[in-house]
Amino acid sequence: MLAAVIALVGSLFFALGAALQQFEAVGTAKPGLLALLRRPRWLIGGVSILAGGGLHIVALGLGPLTIVQPMGVASLLFALPIAATLHGRRPSRKELTAAGVVAAGLIGLVLLVPESHGPTYLSPNGVLTLLGVAGVAAVLLWAGSRAASPAGRAALLATSSGVLYGATATLVRVLVDGTWNWWYLLALPIPALLALMMLQRAYAVGHFGVSFASLQIADPLTAVAFGALLLGEPLPTGVLPVAAAALTAAGTVALARTSPLEAHRDLA
């Protein structure tokens, strides 16, 4: 119970931070990190996100993954009302329903991933493969976003960010659980900073629900894919993972149709 409560509070902090950062970034074609760093509300959002991540780690130390992970996915359901309030509106019932569908599908996907046992090892060539594949995928998603509708652009940019965050999470696991190499540590900020920059571009488009949901989906799925590809970890099998993936896809499409385009703001 304590682990669930702490994870839920962590999700609230994460959602608040994401909503604050999107509120500051929205409406700018190329939101620069230096400009955003001068905005106190954006910085508060970053602190809130870090606090949410810290609480999630504490929760994992107190309870099983099957209890903590679903609480983490709840950040999507917190984020939409918070963001809507910041923009002076109420989230629609259709918007919240679509977010609930995404959350349900994502919970299913997360819980269906088999646990991995044993040390984590990744060779230097594996690290280069990790960064290379993530980088190419992120660039392709960014290129595709340039010809997409506003909602599609937000989704593709956030997915690009999620892929880079998933690569970052995989590299962190390698450093913490298995292989230690000083240049692995030096390489770590590269995908993390690129992910942060790409996410701010997604937020700048508007359609917060779409971008946040896409990030929530792409990040863990990328980490699972890299775990299977590079670390030899098992993948979920059977019909249930397919059904959960279909739920997340349907919910994201519904969010793209119902999530409003937030008003532009000037970052100058």
Side-chain angles (χ1 to χ4, degrees):
M1 181 62 71
L2 180 60
V5 171
I6 291 175
L8 199 61
V9 174
S11 294
L12 180 58
F13 273 100
F14 190 84
L16 175 62
L20 286 171
Q21 290 197 335
Q22 191 266 352
F23 185 74
E24 291 300 319
V26 67
T28 302
K30 295 181 179 180
L33 288 181
L34 291 178
L36 291 170
L37 284 170
R38 292 194 293 267
R39 290 188 166 267
R41 191 155 33 195
W42 190 88
L43 290 173
I44 292 172
V47 172
S48 184
I49 290 172
L50 289 175
L55 288 172
H56 188 77
I57 292 172
V58 171
L60 285 173
L62 296 173
L65 194 67
T66 53
I67 296 296
V68 175
Q69 287 292 66
M71 299 299 105
V73 174
S75 58
L76 176 61
L77 301 179
F78 289 140
L80 289 183
I82 293 172
T85 300
L86 288 174
H87 289 283
R89 67 176 183 86
R90 290 184 178 181
S92 68
R93 183 176 298 177
K94 289 182 178 180
E95 193 178 357
L96 292 176
T97 300
V101 172
V102 174
L106 191 53
I107 288 172
L109 285 172
V110 167
L111 295 183
L112 288 170
V113 175
E115 288 189 34
S116 177
H117 301 284
T120 301
Y121 173 77
L122 190 60
S123 67
N125 285 337
V127 173
L128 293 176
T129 300
L130 171 73
L131 297 177
V133 171
V136 170
V139 168
L140 290 176
L141 288 163
W142 167 79
S145 73
R146 297 173 67 85
S149 65
R153 178 173 171 79
L156 289 172
L157 287 171
T159 301
S160 175
S161 175
V163 168
L164 292 167
Y165 273 132
T168 304
T170 303
L171 192 51
V172 168
R173 283 187 53 216
V174 169
L175 285 167
V176 172
D177 296 337
T179 315
W180 174 260
N181 192 310
W182 65 269
W183 77 265
Y184 289 14
L185 187 62
L186 293 178
L188 187 61
I190 298 174
L193 286 175
L194 290 175
L196 182 61
M197 293 170 62
M198 201 68 71
L199 184 59
Q200 302 314 307
R201 289 180 176 239
Y203 285 164
V205 176
H207 293 289
F208 175 67
V210 179
S211 56
F212 193 69
S214 299
L215 174 68
Q216 291 283 88
I217 294 168
D219 184 352
L221 292 189
T222 300
V224 169
F226 278 134
L229 176 67
L230 299 174
L231 304 178
E233 296 178 346
L235 284 172
T237 57
V239 178
L240 289 179
V242 177
L247 272 181
T248 60
T252 304
V253 171
L255 267 178
R257 292 176 177 175
T258 60
S259 178
L261 183 65
E262 289 89 357
H264 285 195
R265 303 178 70 249
D266 186 9
L267 270 175

